Amino acid sequence: MLAIIFLAALFRLLSLNQLPPGLFLDEALYGLDAYSLLKTGKDIYGHFLPLAFQSSGYYPPLFTYVLAPFFLILPLSAWTVRFPAALSGIAAVLLTYLLVKELFSSSAGKIIALLAAALLAFSPLHLHFSRVAFLSSFGLVFPLLATYLFLRHHYIFSSVVFALSTHAHYGYKLFSPLLFIILVYLHRRQIKFQFNRLVISISLIALIAFLTNWYAISHFNALSRVNQLSGSSLTTMITSYFKAYLPQFLFLNSDSHLITNPWGKGLLPLSLLPLLVVGIINLKSLPPTSLVILLAWLFIPPIPSALAGAGAHALRIIPIIIPLIIISALGLEFIIRQAKTNLITKVTLAAIIAFLVIDHLSYLDFYTHKFPVLSAYLWGNPERHLISQALATTTPTIIPDTFNVYFSYYAFMTKLDPIIIQQVINQPVKSFNQVQFVDALRL
């Protein structure tokens, strides 16, 4: 397992500031907000300890509050902004291993756990999501940890982590409570002996989670993002939900945007298809309680996204990758076990492993060589290039900047004092020596 964690860390931390090539705007804003929070206790818009950050559509606060302390020892840079996301991705590999060991009571449980951890460690999409400060993929580690803690009978700690996860991404505001309710129901007999204490503690934690979410909604316009995504018809919601389980989404094309899907392929590599099929057939080997938990992880994630008419969205439904990987590991373990006594199965296993290796190598080759060139324009490179040119000359430069895009990159690149950012962020014209950012719509 140590070797798997080491490789997972290596693939997620190596050249973290260069691959993907630069920061997309949201990442830059997360960094600026966290840096401002550490220095002044306010975000770049001057809100004191906000529970929803205005800069990127009133996004949930957990990532920014986790990121802020890193600036005590690390500089404002792309590497630092992405570091918590990478740590979350590494931790997800370890927690998947630990969770599977709890779910599988059979003697093969440890092997399945190792295989699941390995498959997640080298999962192309999870690897990419661990190298970018995406709120949804960063937040995945919290329900993973909470579920593991619950299965280890640490009910109070589990409920605390579940409550925290609701501040990671809007999707977890529904996913985490539903999963927690299912866990409580499934283990109601085990927790009966400390039921009164549990009810009081959970009620207090739920109250805190509710109040913090309510405060974010009422004081920081946290529902504005939800309102932008809502309004879909019931038919659209249902259709988008079931699209998440179609082979086309899972293996051929889960998302066409280079930022969230560099390869333009499915949520899982095609090489996992036979393992997934065999794993589904062998789900009957799971204890009933474990099977329900696994199915909850499988069928709840698309619901929040489907309510916005985008159920089949690789990033927003990222928790679904955990059960898919676990089921694939179950299938791989079954094939390995059969291969010990069957020559045909041995050949099949060898072919599957070769297919897995070749498939993943092709993903990595594209990601490290072609992707940086194809996607450079999406990661702020044109904006940074223009700003660098403006800073390199003494000639006054006026940059049209309606939504503070160029100004945000300028503030990040120059490590502009957060107090200055707070003072000028709402001004239609922002002048800094020879560079001037102008919002023509507000003049």
Side-chain angles (χ1 to χ4, degrees):
M1 185 59 200
L2 287 176
I4 294 173
I5 295 297
F6 173 78
L7 290 174
L10 183 66
F11 279 108
R12 283 157 179 78
L13 293 173
L14 193 63
S15 301
L16 187 60
N17 60 326
Q18 299 172 347
L19 188 65
L23 292 177
F24 77 105
L25 180 60
D26 285 355
E27 289 182 292
L29 292 171
Y30 301 157
L32 289 173
D33 275 327
Y35 191 69
S36 179
L37 196 65
L38 179 70
K39 297 295 183 180
T40 69
K42 301 177 182 178
D43 68 4
I44 60 175
Y45 280 86
H47 303 303
F48 180 71
L49 298 180
L51 292 177
F53 286 84
Q54 180 179 348
S55 61
S56 182
Y58 293 95
Y59 65 91
L62 186 57
F63 178 80
T64 302
Y65 280 96
V66 170
L67 173 61
F70 285 94
F71 292 123
L72 288 170
I73 56 175
L74 296 171
L76 180 62
S77 66
W79 196 94
T80 307
V81 170
R82 288 174 172 170
F83 187 49
L87 290 180
S88 174
I90 298 165
V93 173
L94 174 60
L95 286 168
T96 297
Y97 168 78
L98 296 174
L99 178 61
V100 174
K101 284 182 66 179
E102 293 299 320
L103 292 175
F104 289 79
S105 58
S106 65
S107 57
K110 186 175 181 180
I111 297 175
I112 299 171
L114 285 169
L115 293 173
L119 290 176
L120 185 63
F122 296 106
S123 164
L125 210 57
H126 187 263
L127 173 61
H128 173 61
F129 286 168
S130 301
R131 295 181 63 87
V132 185
F134 291 128
L135 300 185
S136 181
S137 52
F138 162 77
L140 178 60
V141 71
F142 292 93
L144 266 173
L145 175 60
T147 304
Y148 171 71
L149 289 172
F150 196 99
L151 296 180
R152 295 291 296 175
H153 312 300
H154 301 300
Y155 304 121
I156 306 304
F157 290 132
S158 172
S159 58
V160 170
V161 179
F162 268 123
L164 278 175
S165 71
T166 64
H167 291 291
H169 182 263
Y170 284 117
Y172 293 110
K173 293 184 185 298
L174 183 59
F175 172 70
S176 293
L178 287 177
L179 180 60
F180 180 70
I181 290 170
I182 290 171
L183 287 169
V184 170
Y185 178 77
L186 291 173
H187 295 83
R188 60 193 182 281
R189 293 180 180 176
Q190 293 92 319
I191 63 179
K192 187 177 181 180
F193 70 95
Q194 52 175 303
F195 185 74
N196 292 333
R197 178 185 173 192
L198 182 66
V199 168
I200 294 172
S201 301
I202 290 175
S203 298
L204 180 60
I205 292 164
L207 178 62
I208 294 172
F210 170 78
L211 289 175
T212 52
N213 279 287
W214 171 83
Y215 190 74
I217 291 169
S218 60
H219 287 74
F220 297 109
N221 200 23
L223 277 184
S224 65
R225 180 63 172 166
V226 177
N227 290 335
Q228 292 172 18
L229 297 173
S230 61
S232 300
S233 67
L234 180 60
T235 302
T236 301
M237 293 178 188
I238 295 173
T239 301
S240 66
Y241 175 85
F242 284 106
K243 277 184 179 178
Y245 302 100
L246 294 178
Q248 180 179 357
F249 176 81
L250 291 176
F251 297 102
L252 299 178
N253 185 14
S254 62
D255 198 329
S256 58
H257 202 294
L258 278 174
I259 282 186
T260 53
N261 186 356
W263 305 274
K265 296 184 179 180
L267 191 69
L268 299 174
L270 189 58
S271 52
L272 287 187
L273 177 57
L275 303 182
L276 188 65
V277 172
V278 175
I280 291 172
I281 294 172
N282 284 275
L283 281 176
K284 60 182 183 293
S285 64
L286 270 71
T289 299
S290 297
L291 179 59
V292 173
I293 295 172
L294 194 63
L295 293 178
W297 268 87
L298 183 62
F299 292 116
I300 295 176
I303 295 176
S305 186
L307 293 176
H313 188 292
L315 181 57
R316 292 178 190 167
I317 67 168
I318 185 61
I320 201 176
I321 199 171
I322 299 300
L324 291 174
I325 287 291
I326 293 174
I327 295 171
S328 299
L330 176 62
L332 181 56
E333 188 278 333
F334 177 81
I335 294 173
I336 291 173
R337 190 155 27 93
Q338 296 300 312
K340 293 179 180 179
T341 57
N342 188 299
L343 179 60
I344 296 177
T345 311
K346 285 182 180 179
V347 175
T348 302
L349 177 62
I352 289 174
I353 293 175
F355 190 17
L356 279 170
V357 172
I358 294 171
D359 202 15
H360 282 69
L361 287 176
S362 68
Y363 273 94
L364 285 175
D365 179 66
F366 178 89
Y367 192 66
T368 55
H369 293 92
K370 296 180 181 179
F371 175 63
V373 177
L374 293 173
S375 69
Y377 71 99
L378 296 170
W379 303 94
N381 286 285
E383 291 83 357
R384 287 195 301 272
H385 180 68
L386 179 59
I387 292 168
S388 297
Q389 285 184 320
L391 293 173
T393 179
T394 57
T395 304
T397 304
I398 298 176
I399 300 178
D401 195 21
T402 304
F403 299 106
N404 289 323
V405 174
Y406 286 91
F407 172 68
S408 298
Y409 280 113
Y410 170 84
F412 194 98
M413 291 169 62
T414 61
K415 297 178 175 59
L416 192 61
D417 188 335
I419 294 178
I420 296 177
I421 298 176
Q422 294 167 20
Q423 291 171 346
V424 304
I425 190 72
N426 285 314
Q427 295 179 8
V429 178
K430 307 172 187 65
S431 299
F432 300 92
N433 298 322
Q434 74 274 31
V435 185
Q436 194 174 75
F437 302 93
V438 179
D439 181 356
L441 295 180
R442 298 177 58 205
L443 286 176

